[in-house]
Amino acid sequence: MNISSFHIVSLLLLALMMSACRGQPSGKPPIHTQYNMYWQDRFNAQQENPFFEDRRAMRVPVEGTVARGHLENDPAWFQGVNEDGSYVQSNPADITRSFLMQGQKTYNIYCTPCHGGLGDGDSPVSYYGYMAASLLSERARVMPDGEIYSAIYDGINTMNSYRHQIDVEDRWAVVAYVRALQLSQGASEEDLRRLNIDPEQFTTGE
Ligand code: HEC
């Protein structure tokens, strides 16, 4: 076999690369081929920086700075209200089966303790004499979707806001699910016939 200088150089390179795999941990710093990428001037947290007038190394963002993806510039979507402050009439999200299931999951986690699994207020806390509003009341049925959203977003009277626990898409999913609960708990015979369901099946014998 003809051993060329290319072979020798390749072998040497290989040996060099393998020598980096020492097989046992070492306390020594690794060999850096590009020094300047590793050791750059920097300031530790809370350290003073004479460059700035206020000497703070940790800079505060310029006023009005918004983190990427956090520009909540669509009040209908983020706050449930129109430009004029009135509640959004109908859910701006695409309502699909999986969206409703998502809403059911979130509702069951965050709302059932007070409003109950059916939304009628028959809930664990009601056993202790604390009564949350029924979400099946005439009042709640005629609320615009944005008002239900706003109850989650801002809270309402004695109910706290759930905006930090539930993200914007999930809030709308819960709104859709509350609507589904209202429908399921208040379907008229007319509604059932429209869905080709025989109302006789559901008579309670009252
Ligand atoms: C800690 C108990 C509690 C939890 C949890 C809770 N609520 Fe409420 N909610 C209340 C109470 C109490 C009221 C009545 C407030 C009032 O008007 O005094 C209320 C009122 C409401 C109303 C207004 C009803 C009306 O007729 O005015 C809506 C809508 C509502 N809640 C939706 C929700 C949704 C959706 C969730 C889950 C994200 C939720 N709530 C979780 C306690 C709770």
Side-chain angles (χ1 to χ4, degrees):
M1 199 171 96
N2 187 4
I3 298 180
S4 66
S5 55
F6 173 74
H7 284 114
I8 296 171
V9 171
S10 314
L11 265 173
L12 278 174
L13 263 177
L14 197 68
L16 197 72
M17 277 157 67
M18 284 176 71
S19 69
C21 316
R22 280 179 292 203
Q24 71 257 32
S26 156
K28 290 190 191 145
I31 297 159
H32 295 300
T33 45
Q34 270 285 5
Y35 260 60
N36 54 357
M37 298 292 281
Y38 284 93
W39 287 283
Q40 304 175 46
D41 280 344
R42 66 175 177 82
F43 290 88
N44 289 331
Q46 313 295 349
Q47 202 178 339
E48 195 179 338
N49 182 343
F51 180 79
F52 296 106
E53 207 172 306
D54 63 4
R55 315 258 158 186
R56 285 202 242 180
M58 297 165 80
R59 308 306 303 156
V60 256
V62 176
E63 202 177 321
T65 305
V66 176
R68 205 174 274 244
H70 288 264
L71 183 62
E72 301 196 345
N73 60 345
D74 179 355
W77 176 248
F78 290 102
Q79 279 99 46
V81 293
N82 298 309
E83 298 287 345
D84 63 3
S86 61
Y87 292 120
V88 167
Q89 202 55 41
S90 57
N91 200 323
D94 259 350
I95 311 213
T96 57
R97 189 181 166 80
S98 73
F99 192 66
L100 273 179
M101 300 309 278
Q102 182 184 339
Q104 179 184 46
K105 193 171 156 205
T106 311
Y107 179 93
N108 284 345
I109 294 170
Y110 291 105
C111 319
T112 40
C114 298
H115 291 288
L118 296 177
D120 55 4
D122 182 11
S123 65
V125 301
S126 73
Y127 308 148
Y128 296 93
Y130 173 87
M131 204 57 196
S134 164
L135 301 180
L136 308 178
S137 66
E138 203 39 54
R139 193 184 123 71
R141 281 174 197 275
V142 298
M143 275 182 181
D145 283 345
E147 194 171 353
I148 300 180
Y149 179 93
S150 152
I152 307 172
Y153 184 78
D154 276 329
I156 175 167
N157 300 329
T158 50
M159 174 185 149
N160 254 335
S161 159
Y162 280 83
R163 112 171 50 155
H164 298 295
Q165 290 89 331
I166 306 174
D167 72 17
V168 56
E169 198 188 276
D170 271 339
R171 293 175 210 144
W172 284 116
V174 168
V175 171
Y177 184 66
V178 168
R179 289 297 186 220
L181 282 178
Q182 291 174 342
L183 275 179
S184 78
Q185 300 305 304
S188 64
E189 290 197 7
E190 201 48 47
D191 292 332
L192 294 180
R193 285 209 184 83
R194 222 176 31 234
L195 294 168
N196 277 333
I197 300 169
D198 176 12
E200 292 299 320
Q201 277 182 289
F202 294 94
T203 45
T204 51
E206 282 162 17

